[in-house]
């Protein structure tokens, strides 16, 4: 992709299995307020975190293709599960930069002072089973011990709005008591929804553990990539687009999305991505 051929006002495409990726979009808006953005939430088929890798690959190719044909200049895979399973596939398929959340999150975890040389990773079942975070962390430091834990109840908990209180505390304690006991330097919140549980998670693992929110690190990587390529949008006059597409239930997306995004969600359109003609890998 060469700089001359890129329209700098073209939007950044962001996709996720549902509303959770709005945590990443929020950070992109905060770090890059002049960029136009298009978000796709595959709300008809969420959750991805319990699906097999083949299904996640198929779904993510459809989402990526939908956004690509809208003329985006960069694609962000906000979903940890998709990043864990399909980053290579998506990067090979589309001739634009593709950024997932695993590399930025792993890199940030290595910024914690290494007292124990131990990092925790939490995520969906499919993300944890893939071992993607562990592999990425080991490319940065092969001596770091990585302790992983799937926390499937966290997603419905957050969508219900139960960020604290006795139920959130009991579930968090059950999942993380082992990590709290053996002590970890950093804990990667390897799922779009988990940053909303930061307070209760920090209480359980203790204040000496750095909580890593991949959303912030991903937004920084998006900014760095656009900057390096010379395709940041600096023209206020062309920065207005905040478009959302969903595959089911726009009303629910808006209602739940409010918990994830600090600005109002206005322009939401229902689409069908099952009908796209996608060549298999
Ligand atoms: N967005 C997913 C992730 O970050 C969580 C929700 C799901 O399972 O689809 O892994």
């Amino acid at each position: 992709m060469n700089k001359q051929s890129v329209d700098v006002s073209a939007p950044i495409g962001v996709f996720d299995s549902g509303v959770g990726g709005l945590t990443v979009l929020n950070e992109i808006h905060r770090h890059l307020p002049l960029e136009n953005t298009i978000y796709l939430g595959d709300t008809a088929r969420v959750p991805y975190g319990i699906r097999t890798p083949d299904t996640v690959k198929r779904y993510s190719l459809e989402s990526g293709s939908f956004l690509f044909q809208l003329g985006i200049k960069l694609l962000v895979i906000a979903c940890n599960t998709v990043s864990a399973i399909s980053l290579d596939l998506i990067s090979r398929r589309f001739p634009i930069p593709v950024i997932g959340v695993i590399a930025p999150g792993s890199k940030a975890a290595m910024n914690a002072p290494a007292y124990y040389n131990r990092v925790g990773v939490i995520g969906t079942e499919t993300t944890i089973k893939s071992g993607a975070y562990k592999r990425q962390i080991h490319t940065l430091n092969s001596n770091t011990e990585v302790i992983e834990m799937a926390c499937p109840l966290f997603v419905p908990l957050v969508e219900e709005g139960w960020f604290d209180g006795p139920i959130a505390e009991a579930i968090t304690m059950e999942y993380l008591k082992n990590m709290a006991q053996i002590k970890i330097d950093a804990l990667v919140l390897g799922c779009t929804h988990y940053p909303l549980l930061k307070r209760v998670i920090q209480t359980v693992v203790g204040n000496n553990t750095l909580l890593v929110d991949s959303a912030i690190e991903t937004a920084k990587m998006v900014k760095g990539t656009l900057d390096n390529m010379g395709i940041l949008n600096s023209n206020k006059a062309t920065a207005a687009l905040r478009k959302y597409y969903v595959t089911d239930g726009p009303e629910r997306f808006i209602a739940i999305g409010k918990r994830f995004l600090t600005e109002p969600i206005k322009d939401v359109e229902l689409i069908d991505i099952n009908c796209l003609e996608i060549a298999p890998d």
Side-chain angles (χ1 to χ4, degrees):
M1 186 185 196
N2 73 35
K3 185 189 161 186
Q4 278 71 33
S5 64
V6 181
D7 168 9
V8 293
S9 68
I12 296 171
V14 179
F15 84 88
D16 178 49
S17 53
V19 284
L22 293 174
T23 51
V24 178
L25 187 70
N26 216 24
E27 293 302 328
I28 292 174
H29 287 169
R30 217 163 57 83
H31 286 81
L32 295 157
L34 296 182
E35 294 297 334
N36 294 304
T37 59
I38 300 180
Y39 181 93
L40 168 61
D42 191 8
T43 44
R45 304 187 290 196
V46 69
Y48 283 12
I50 51 166
R51 314 253 176 245
T52 59
D54 280 350
T55 300
V56 172
K57 282 182 189 162
R58 182 160 52 84
Y59 289 176
S60 51
L61 266 184
E62 288 170 358
S63 295
S65 301
F66 175 78
L67 287 172
F68 181 69
Q69 45 97 24
L70 295 177
I72 55 173
K73 64 178 175 183
L74 179 143
L75 178 62
V76 178
I77 304 177
C79 180
N80 288 257
T81 307
V82 175
S83 299
I85 301 296
S86 309
L87 179 66
D88 290 346
L89 171 68
I90 302 284
S91 305
R92 269 186 276 123
R93 184 60 75 96
F94 306 108
I96 51 172
V98 178
I99 294 181
V101 290
I102 308 276
S106 303
K107 189 165 154 260
M110 304 318 283
N111 291 337
Y115 294 120
Y116 310 105
N117 233 356
R118 215 175 271 141
V119 167
V121 176
I122 52 176
T124 65
E125 282 171 36
T126 303
T127 298
I128 297 303
K129 253 193 222 156
S130 76
Y133 270 108
K134 192 182 246 176
R135 276 194 303 280
Q136 185 68 31
I137 291 169
H138 280 160
T139 63
L140 302 170
N141 184 346
S142 56
N143 294 322
T144 304
E145 187 184 348
V146 181
I147 296 148
E148 297 174 292
M149 183 70 172
C151 303
L153 288 177
F154 280 175
V155 167
L157 198 64
V158 166
E159 295 206 358
E160 202 59 34
W162 292 354
F163 307 140
D164 42 33
I167 296 173
E169 282 162 19
I171 293 172
T172 307
M173 182 55 102
E174 189 58 35
Y175 283 140
L176 301 182
K177 60 177 185 261
N178 182 38
M179 291 199 200
Q181 209 176 7
I182 61 172
K183 306 253 187 290
I184 47 176
D185 299 315
L187 177 62
V188 180
L189 308 177
C191 173
T192 47
H193 291 59
Y194 300 179
L196 280 86
L197 293 168
K198 254 183 193 165
R199 217 187 50 79
V200 63
I201 292 173
Q202 191 81 72
T203 309
V204 169
V205 295
N207 286 332
N208 292 331
T209 298
L210 175 77
L211 296 191
V212 176
D213 179 345
S214 311
I216 298 172
E217 300 309 320
T218 304
K220 288 186 194 160
M221 190 177 268
V222 171
K223 189 172 182 181
T225 304
L226 293 177
D227 197 13
N228 284 340
M229 295 179 72
I231 55 170
L232 276 167
N233 188 30
S234 52
N235 184 355
K236 271 198 180 122
T238 59
L241 185 72
R242 297 281 186 265
K243 174 81 187 177
Y244 301 85
Y245 291 97
V246 292
T247 52
D248 194 23
E251 301 78 18
R252 187 166 198 273
F253 177 80
I254 293 171
I256 309 250
K258 278 189 199 137
R259 306 200 178 115
F260 294 81
L261 198 67
T262 45
E263 58 193 74
I265 303 173
K266 288 183 191 140
D267 191 359
V268 185
E269 196 174 322
L270 181 64
I271 50 145
D272 181 3
I273 52 176
N274 280 317
C275 61
L276 291 177
E277 294 282 324
I278 312 283
D281 190 35

